[in-house]
Amino acid sequence: MEVIAGAPNIVRGGSHSGNVAAADLVRQGAVDALASDYVPAALVEAAWRCVTETGLTLPQAVAMVTDRPARMALLPDRGRIEAGLQADLVQIRTHEGLPVVRRVWRAGERVA
């Protein structure tokens, strides 16, 4: 069984309805992937927070929002930077400690 937690839960610092804090589950190795739920932009910030708050490395945290969800959805041609895979990339920089999306490429073509 694979476990998906909500990225907004990580960003908020806990559940909005009093349930378990996803960061606690990540720290225990009990979460395989993060989902955007109702806040798509939360994926990027949640990955960054996982690094600072749970001890994951940046590659591990990014894989929770890219590679692992792609594999769960049976989309093995995406989610990683590797020859022969779909070239979907997001360039991020931090501003005052928060991640900011700077550029986006889909299938190797810049779209933003």
Side-chain angles (χ1 to χ4, degrees):
M1 179 185 318
E2 295 172 307
V3 176
I4 302 170
N9 183 306
I10 301 276
V11 172
R12 289 177 45 90
S15 169
H16 70 279
S17 60
N19 291 316
V20 66
D24 291 341
L25 298 175
V26 171
R27 275 187 214 94
Q28 295 176 19
V31 175
D32 298 300
L34 297 175
S36 63
D37 288 346
Y38 48 89
V39 186
L43 286 170
V44 173
E45 187 174 349
W48 252 247
R49 286 181 181 258
C50 278
V51 172
T52 60
E53 297 174 13
T54 71
L56 292 181
T57 65
L58 185 57
Q60 289 170 323
V62 169
M64 289 183 71
V65 300
T66 59
D67 182 42
R68 290 185 185 159
R71 289 175 191 255
M72 288 177 180
L74 303 178
L75 299 168
D77 66 333
R78 58 199 75 196
R80 302 177 312 286
I81 299 172
E82 189 175 301
L85 300 186
Q86 186 156 328
D88 297 341
L89 300 169
V90 177
Q91 179 188 30
I92 296 170
R93 71 170 177 89
T94 56
H95 177 72
E96 296 181 7
L98 292 174
V100 178
V101 174
R102 300 294 296 161
R103 293 180 182 92
V104 178
W105 292 263
R106 184 174 188 285
E109 301 251 345
R110 186 170 171 188
V111 294

